[in-house]
Amino acid sequence: MQKMVLSILVRNTSGVLTRVAGLFARRGYNIDSLTVSETETPGYSKMTVVARGDADVLEQIEKQLRKLVDVKEIVELKDTSSVCRELILCKVAVSAQDRQQVMAVADIFRAKIVDVANDSMMLELTGNQTKLDAFISLLDGFKILELVRTGITGLSRGTADMLSGELE
């Protein structure tokens, strides 16, 4: 199975997220990750969708998305020509003795300590999925109380942008 990361420029209209997610659900496709935010252009949002499947399924997903009225542009974010990142917040149970070890792991990965309590620490880390997975793996000996990931977001490298043409 292949992974595909799509950056989708959409009109920021009521129900656009439902229509995009519904397209996946109706066809039995799974969304691995989905992030949505407004862009620098009023009235438009950008969705980053990560899906897995064989080449035919991924091609079909892209074709079906292009048919949606609110979809203005789709760009596949390939590893070699884009930058993709994800944010993680992780709350770890720590004793006074463990605190230094967790801080050392955080330092290795350049994670920020965003909250400290008597018996826990909350860490924030941004990076690619491999980095975040390795970070979580190194925390394996500690009790992770809560963990949340934002999902992937990304942009193509260079000066080209999705808004090069005129938008209606």
Side-chain angles (χ1 to χ4, degrees), residues 2-73:
Q2 302 171 23
K3 177 175 88 169
M4 178 172 65
V5 180
L6 294 176
S7 182
I8 308 166
L9 182 67
V10 296
R11 277 198 200 108
N12 194 1
T13 59
S14 178
V16 68
L17 177 57
T18 301
R19 287 187 288 281
V20 169
L23 181 144
F24 280 80
R26 282 188 307 276
R27 287 162 179 79
Y29 304 143
N30 189 41
I31 297 174
D32 288 354
S33 171
L34 171 67
T35 59
V36 185
S37 182
E38 292 180 338
T39 66
E40 68 285 1
T41 304
Y44 289 88
S45 290
K46 195 172 287 187
M47 296 181 177
T48 306
V49 179
V50 180
R52 292 183 191 277
D54 61 35
D56 291 337
V57 166
L58 297 177
E59 181 182 350
Q60 213 34 259
I61 289 172
E62 188 171 347
K63 284 180 179 178
Q64 294 298 315
L65 285 168
R66 288 189 187 282
K67 291 180 182 180
L68 295 177
V69 173
D70 289 322
V71 172
K72 301 313 293 172
E73 184 68 49

Side-chain angles (χ1 to χ4, degrees), residues 71-94:
V71 172
K72 301 313 293 172
E73 184 68 49
I74 300 175
V75 173
E76 183 178 354
L77 299 177
K78 297 184 185 256
D79 288 340
T80 56
S81 60
S82 64
V83 175
C84 292
R85 294 290 183 262
E86 186 175 3
L87 169 73
I88 188 172
L89 289 175
C90 180
K91 191 187 311 179
V92 181
V94 292

Side-chain angles (χ1 to χ4, degrees), residues 71-131:
V71 172
K72 301 313 293 172
E73 184 68 49
I74 300 175
V75 173
E76 183 178 354
L77 299 177
K78 297 184 185 256
D79 288 340
T80 56
S81 60
S82 64
V83 175
C84 292
R85 294 290 183 262
E86 186 175 3
L87 169 73
I88 188 172
L89 289 175
C90 180
K91 191 187 311 179
V92 181
V94 292
S95 63
Q97 304 87 280
D98 293 338
R99 194 173 306 278
Q100 286 301 322
Q101 286 180 281
V102 172
M103 289 172 66
V105 172
D107 190 46
I108 290 167
F109 285 89
R110 295 188 180 128
K112 293 180 188 174
I113 299 169
V114 293
D115 187 59
V116 178
N118 288 336
D119 54 359
S120 69
M121 294 175 72
M122 188 181 308
L123 306 166
E124 171 188 311
L125 179 63
T126 304
N128 62 35
Q129 284 186 311
T130 305
K131 178 181 178 179

